[in-house]
Amino acid sequence: MTVNVPGRRGPQGPSPLEGERIRPLSRWQIEDRLAELGDLYAQTAGGDSRAWNHDRELFLRRLAGEVQRPGFALLVAERSVPGTPAGGESAVLAGCAYGFPVRAGGPWWRGLDGYLPRDVLGLAASGRLFAISGLVVHSRVRTHHQGLDWNLARRLQRRLLADHTAGLADRADGTGAVDVADDVGVLGVLGVTLVERDDAMTLRALRSWGWRSVAPDASVARDMLRYAPCRALVLGP
């Protein structure tokens, strides 16, 4: 998962109390705003100008690949700032989050099937397993009020899962599959992500936003799990 947790203090974003507006971007809108998204990522990562350019390029390359995934969704958080020539306001990015439904019919995302128990993997067949692969916020969101509902990271990840849940219910209603819609309404969608095993700072941030660790079934060899490059976390019901 892409979560910016800089090694040193970087530019700080606004308090969640300022009420950033969250909205989805279409694929065309994402393409139009790639430069802004890259700048947001680099700014929140901290570091010098050389690292800024390198981090920005890698982020945009990853994003370009993930946008092509079926069901991909990206949310941006915007806040209004004064300063337009006409004396009005303009919107600047305060954060973003993105992901896609995990598909059971093809290769698993980043070998996900090796990290999750069978009952969790089974959710993919009904579209109820959603990978949140990127969450980009300023340092203040990672260090202040992480447990409160209006924390921006919590709002972004909650909205991603809620939008996907609503989409599943709409599709089920359109095909007459009432049982699927009822199932989604009761059980909801489970978020999942993978974190590099040695990335303790990202792991700590995600846990503070409500993510919990999960392990595969006992049949998976302990040595395989011990040396796996990532840890799996889930969010939701």
Side-chain angles (χ1 to χ4, degrees):
M1 183 186 200
T2 299
V3 176
N4 273 6
V5 184
R8 65 184 182 89
R9 193 179 184 88
Q12 293 214 352
S15 164
L17 289 174
E18 293 185 16
E20 300 88 352
R21 183 171 67 101
I22 294 176
R23 67 184 184 92
L25 296 185
S26 68
R27 292 194 180 190
W28 297 112
Q29 290 171 323
I30 293 171
E31 188 172 321
D32 288 341
R33 301 188 69 175
L34 278 178
E36 291 177 74
L37 291 166
D39 289 348
L40 172 70
Y41 183 86
Q43 290 163 5
T44 58
D48 57 25
S49 58
R50 184 176 179 179
W52 195 96
N53 290 326
H54 179 261
D55 291 345
R56 184 179 188 276
E57 181 180 347
L58 288 180
F59 167 75
L60 290 176
R61 191 180 305 163
R62 287 194 301 267
L63 182 59
E66 296 198 353
V67 165
Q68 306 304 318
R69 292 181 178 272
F72 179 86
L74 184 145
L75 299 175
V76 293
E78 298 173 321
R79 58 187 177 91
S80 297
V81 296
T84 63
E89 294 184 335
S90 61
V92 298
L93 292 183
C96 74
Y98 53 89
F100 45 86
V102 176
R103 305 289 177 178
W108 292 95
W109 173 62
R110 297 183 64 187
L112 190 63
D113 55 325
Y115 292 95
L116 299 178
R118 284 189 295 271
D119 59 338
V120 173
L121 286 171
L123 297 175
S126 58
R128 289 178 21 235
L129 191 60
F130 191 89
I132 299 182
S133 55
L135 182 55
V136 181
V137 291
H138 286 278
S139 58
R140 183 177 180 84
V141 181
R142 297 187 293 269
T143 58
H144 290 68
H145 312 296
Q146 303 98 310
L148 298 181
D149 284 344
W150 45 255
N151 177 278
L152 183 57
R154 283 181 173 263
R155 291 175 58 204
L156 285 164
Q157 62 193 25
R158 185 169 63 241
R159 173 72 180 273
L160 267 180
L161 298 184
D163 285 358
H164 183 61
T165 301
L168 287 177
D170 288 345
R171 288 195 293 275
D173 289 343
T175 60
V178 179
D179 57 333
V180 176
D182 290 345
D183 189 36
V184 170
V186 172
L187 299 177
V189 171
L190 189 70
V192 63
T193 197
L194 294 175
V195 178
E196 299 295 327
R197 181 165 292 277
D198 59 355
D199 192 351
M201 296 179 70
T202 293
L203 186 64
R204 185 163 55 247
L206 289 172
R207 285 176 172 164
S208 75
W209 296 327
W211 292 81
R212 60 189 186 275
S213 296
V214 66
D217 296 315
S219 59
V220 176
R222 289 188 177 183
D223 285 345
M224 289 178 60
L225 187 60
R226 183 183 308 163
Y227 296 111
C230 297
R231 301 173 187 265
L233 293 93
V234 295
L235 176 73

